[in-house]
Amino acid sequence: MADIKQEAVDDQQNYSVGNNSDPKNMQELTQYVQTLLQGMQDKFQTMSDQIITRNILLEITIYIFNAQ
C-alpha cells in the first residue's frame, strides 16, 4: 500500500511543469504535454514488463509443479 502512495507522489512530480507554473506559450505547453505523455508511456511500459514477467514466472511455476 505504501508503494502505491509513493508511486502517486512520484507521478505528480513527474507530470508537473519544472517551475510549477502554468505554461505561458505554445512552446511551454508542447513541452509540458510531451513530458506528460513520455511519463505515461514509461509507466505503461513498466507495467507491461511487470505483467509479462509475472506471466512467465507463473508459467514456469505451473510447468515445474506439473513435471513432478
Side-chain angles (χ1 to χ4, degrees):
M1 185 69 162
D3 292 338
I4 294 171
K5 289 180 182 177
Q6 183 58 42
E7 286 181 12
V9 169
D10 292 344
D11 287 346
Q12 289 172 352
Q13 291 170 350
N14 288 340
Y15 300 148
S16 63
V17 176
N19 58 8
N20 292 328
S21 64
D22 292 332
K24 303 211 180 345
N25 57 43
M26 190 60 75
Q27 184 177 3
E28 287 182 11
L29 180 60
T30 301
Q31 182 60 45
Y32 174 79
V33 171
Q34 286 177 340
T35 302
L36 179 66
L37 292 174
Q38 184 63 51
M40 292 171 63
Q41 182 178 7
D42 293 345
K43 190 67 138 176
F44 181 81
Q45 186 63 49
T46 300
M47 289 188 305
S48 178
D49 292 345
Q50 289 173 344
I51 291 167
I52 291 169
T53 300
R54 288 178 187 157
N55 284 341
I56 290 171
L57 292 174
L58 178 62
E59 289 293 326
I60 290 171
T61 303
I62 291 170
Y63 177 77
I64 290 171
F65 282 119
N66 286 335
Q68 293 178 354

